[in-house]
Amino acid sequence: MKSREERNEYKMMSTTVLVEKEKEEQREEPLRTEDIRLLTGRGRFVEDFSSQNQAFMSLVHSPFAHAKIKRIDLSKARSSPAFIFALTGEDLLKEGVAPVSQGFMPPKKPWRRYHLALGEVRFVGEPVVAILAKDRGSAEDLAEHINIEYEQLPPVVSLQEAKQGKALVCRDWKDNLSSVIQQRKGDAEKATSSGTYVIHLKEGIRRQNAAPMETHAAVVSYDRESGVFDIFATVQSVHMLRGLLSEALKIPNQKLHIRIMDMGGGFGTKGGPEYPWTLLACLFAKKTGLTVRWEATRTEEFLEAAPGRDEYCDLTMACDSHGKIVAIKANIECDIGAPGNAGFMAGATAGTMFGPYEIPNLELKAESYVTNKMPVGPVRGAGRPEGCYFTERGMDIMAKKIGIDPLEFRRRNLVKPKKVTSEDYRSLLDLLVKSADYERIQHWKDNFNSMQSEENKWPTRVAGIGISLSGGETKFSIRAILGGISLRGIIAIIRFLPRFRTFSSETARVILDKQGNVTVYTGSSPHGQGHETAFAQLASRELGVPFERVKIVWGDTVLIPQGVGTFGSRSASAGGSAVIDASRKLKADLLGKASKILRAERSTLDIRNGYVVEAKPPQEELIELGEVLDRLGLSEISSDSKFKARSTESYSSGVHLCALTLDTETGQVRIEKYAMVEDSGRIINKAIVEGQLHGGVIYGLGGALLEQLVYDNDGNLLTTSFLDYSIPGSLDSPNIEIFHKVTPSESLSQTKGVGESGTIASYAAIMNALNDALSQFKEEKAQEVNIAPAFPEIVYLALHGRGNDA
């Protein structure tokens, strides 16, 4: 037997990243051009905007989770020389401001809530009064001088209380159930009763904050002569914000000029939800003629910015004697907080939960309940990490019950690819086994645990391995959404379908000037994804112009009248396709004009390095592109694209592997190896793709082990700063090995959305590895941990048979 020293010498194998590339992509990729600006302090953020004629807005937040507003006294604030203006919910009614949008999906019970609380507050932190003052300090001080009289009402602060219905969040509802989604396939009840192996599992992910580096902010000015609002805001889509403000203020889109510069992270929380601050700043700017500024403090970000997750699932899975799934029954419950306009996560979970697997019999129900907490919204993955976690935990538990390798159990139940562009999960699993050396990792785990068992009756550290698959193609069933919905709800969905189709579309405009410079205007809007580099690469390759001569412009509703935005892992596939489409149109136009000037057949010409050249080698340079425009008497030439994909978005798919050890004396987890095989379609820039995957995994790690928004019994949020709320740091972040398999998608860019993929699969991979380690304590009766996050104290209690999954 090997000595302890010899066994400790064993280290995880480090492997080289394998990437399949098209021939045209074999060239060296450019570094991210935006990084130089961002890393040297030359970024352009909303906070950097300044005006001499400016004022500062502050908000007065509700201190109660549920209460009637009896009286608002502004007299003390108005007496201050720093006071400029104030707004209440009553003022919004007088101004004719529309209530907060109810959102598009799923159809839900009707409710009415305003951008400032009117008559009643429904969560701690809900804005009640907006104050405008001469400087930021005075605005914050004046907020303390507003006297509001409340009459407290019984709060609903948990799913259990919401389901009991003893207290109601919305008094005109009969219960706290907002929406129900149902889906059935075959006879799950009959198949379960006849299954050879059956497991029952309660699992979930608690409420988590998006935690962007930059908090929400807005700067608004108003031109009385033109009636146009000029707005800078931290949003993922200027066009979406324009639509929301247009509806709320009841003014045409043309009266709203919205811009975004650089932005320190979005993660979904700056995408879908309709927040009050920009609208309130618009009203103040119109009333006073001042430029109105507002930036959320970190505490306000925790109190008001939409969180994610807070979903739980009762799962039953049945298999036959050959390890094939015969049925799954799943009951999903989601705490969506107070009624909002972006609480569609349970629907997204229901639609994507079983992506890579063949499920012959299915019974699924997803219920969304309101509580007196902040309204939820999309946070990186928006329902898909939950669905992946619910299924993948069940897959691991069933594999152990049957007694087969978890990877082999998954292989037996995978769907078969229907077409070339579909995800071939079997090949992804095979590549993981080979590239990440799955057998060696298993050998390491067995060696590690046997060594610990020999030397300690109660081992100080144990190791575990976890596997997780993230589905690529969305399998969202409109029938599931409509299940149990009223006629009004069905009409709402039908009315929304045209807007739903725009998710697969995007706009772009490409301009070439006489100097040979190219400007690309895109409806997508970056906040860390690397659009400036990736889109410039696409335009450069398509047009045949040097990369360094391409400039990317985004986030301006005047320069780019139409667009969709950046969310849902759509920018490369939709936005990139629009850039390619516009570039190809422009190239065709240029070659047509050049052929007339050169009196040559168009088919004999091409563009390379900014010159029209002969199409065949040696590709002699014939005329510079700028000269083509000069001879035609043009200062520039352009082409537009309103790209619309033939089908829905295509997302990357992957297989993740996590190997970890846990300290049995502290419950602390340390990830020893993390590897993934990802099919991201065509890779425009490997560094950008892998950066997105790295960030996604770390995001999931935080959710699996560290992050939770905690409320007390009165609905007070206890985690209101990074002193109370932990996010992963450099010491928590493992080295991540990425292996690529390239299957081009059907989009024009041939890419697949990758921004959320790392997050979707990492929850399950990490929690499966943790529970695999816990399972080494068979004689000690260690319990499973199926509710994320698995804090060290929760792991410690589970080790000693005192689980904390309630």
Side-chain angles (χ1 to χ4, degrees), residues 427-446:
S427 67
L428 295 178
L429 284 170
D430 292 342
L431 187 54
L432 179 75
V433 169
K434 177 182 177 182
S435 302
D437 203 341
Y438 182 60
E439 291 183 5
R440 185 169 181 177
I441 295 171
Q442 287 182 309
H443 180 66
W444 163 81
K445 184 190 86 169
D446 295 338

Side-chain angles (χ1 to χ4, degrees), residues 788-804:
F791 293 135
E793 56 267 34
I794 292 174
V795 175
Y796 181 83
L797 289 172
L799 280 165
H800 294 271
R802 292 175 287 163
N804 188 28

Side-chain angles (χ1 to χ4, degrees), residues 396-693:
D396 247 41
I397 292 170
M398 179 60 83
K400 282 182 170 58
K401 184 178 183 70
I402 298 173
I404 61 175
D405 183 85
L407 193 148
E408 172 58 27
F409 178 59
R410 287 169 170 83
R411 184 181 279 113
R412 293 184 190 182
N413 289 282
L414 291 173
V415 295
K416 295 179 180 179
K418 297 178 181 179
K419 49 191 176 181
V420 176
T421 56
S422 294
E423 288 72 18
D424 185 355
Y425 297 99
R426 286 175 176 80
S427 67
L428 295 178
L429 284 170
D430 292 342
L431 187 54
L432 179 75
V433 169
K434 177 182 177 182
S435 302
D437 203 341
Y438 182 60
E439 291 183 5
R440 185 169 181 177
I441 295 171
Q442 287 182 309
H443 180 66
W444 163 81
K445 184 190 86 169
D446 295 338
N447 253 10
F448 188 95
N449 290 331
S450 63
M451 177 187 71
Q452 291 286 325
S453 297
E454 290 168 13
E455 300 184 5
N456 301 281
K457 184 177 180 181
W458 180 266
T460 56
R461 294 197 74 83
V462 290
I465 300 173
I467 299 288
S468 175
L469 274 63
S470 61
E473 294 182 348
T474 300
K475 297 186 176 181
F476 200 79
S477 170
I478 292 296
R479 183 177 297 176
I481 291 293
L482 296 181
I485 300 299
S486 66
L487 178 62
R488 179 188 296 179
I490 294 174
I491 293 172
I493 278 287
I494 293 172
R495 290 179 61 188
F496 171 72
L497 285 177
R499 191 182 301 180
F500 184 80
R501 285 192 287 270
T502 66
F503 285 3
S504 299
S505 66
E506 193 50 273
T507 63
R509 189 180 191 210
V510 180
I511 300 175
L512 173 74
D513 64 25
K514 285 173 61 174
Q515 287 71 43
N517 298 315
V518 173
T519 304
V520 176
Y521 295 88
T522 173
S524 294
S525 181
H527 33 92
Q529 294 87 347
H531 288 35
E532 289 179 72
T533 302
F535 287 2
Q537 282 182 256
L538 292 176
S540 172
R541 292 172 188 171
E542 294 296 333
L543 283 172
V545 298
F547 168 82
E548 58 273 12
R549 306 201 76 168
V550 182
K551 177 185 177 182
I552 308 299
V553 178
W554 70 89
D556 189 315
T557 56
V558 170
L559 297 177
I560 307 142
Q562 291 180 295
V564 179
T566 296
F567 46 83
S569 302
R570 62 180 305 278
S571 289
S573 56
S577 292
V579 172
I580 290 173
D581 185 38
S583 298
R584 288 179 180 176
K585 290 176 181 177
L586 182 57
K587 181 177 181 178
D589 194 11
L590 280 167
L591 289 177
K593 288 177 168 55
S595 67
K596 294 177 182 178
I597 292 172
L598 298 170
R599 297 182 180 180
E601 288 292 331
R602 178 171 160 176
S603 60
T604 65
L605 303 176
D606 199 358
I607 301 176
R608 183 179 180 183
N609 203 31
Y611 286 84
V612 177
V613 299
E614 293 177 339
K616 294 181 179 180
Q619 292 192 308
E620 180 183 348
E621 293 178 352
L622 302 175
I623 185 173
E624 195 173 7
L625 292 179
E627 189 178 343
V628 173
L629 271 63
D630 194 46
R631 289 198 188 185
L632 294 170
L634 299 173
S635 59
E636 64 181 34
I637 184 172
S638 66
S639 186
D640 297 292
S641 173
K642 294 180 181 178
F643 175 80
K644 184 173 290 186
R646 295 179 181 177
S647 59
T648 57
E649 291 296 310
S650 182
Y651 299 101
S652 66
S653 54
V655 183
H656 290 219
L657 180 149
C658 176
L660 56 75
T661 58
L662 67 88
D663 189 321
T664 61
E665 296 178 346
T666 64
Q668 196 76 35
V669 170
R670 182 173 71 203
I671 296 178
E672 308 289 349
K673 181 183 181 75
Y674 200 101
M676 68 173 81
V677 174
E678 199 77 19
D679 186 344
S680 308
R682 175 192 178 193
I683 296 174
I684 301 171
N685 185 295
K686 184 164 72 71
I688 289 176
V689 168
E690 294 191 348
Q692 288 285 298
L693 291 171

Side-chain angles (χ1 to χ4, degrees), residues 92 96-100 112-115 247-250 274 279:
L92 299 189
V97 175
V100 174
R112 184 174 289 263
R113 184 166 68 85
Y114 285 85
H115 299 79
E247 292 178 10
L249 295 171
K250 301 175 184 176
E274 182 177 359
L279 179 140

Side-chain angles (χ1 to χ4, degrees), residues 34 463 574 771:
E34 51 268 78
N771 281 286

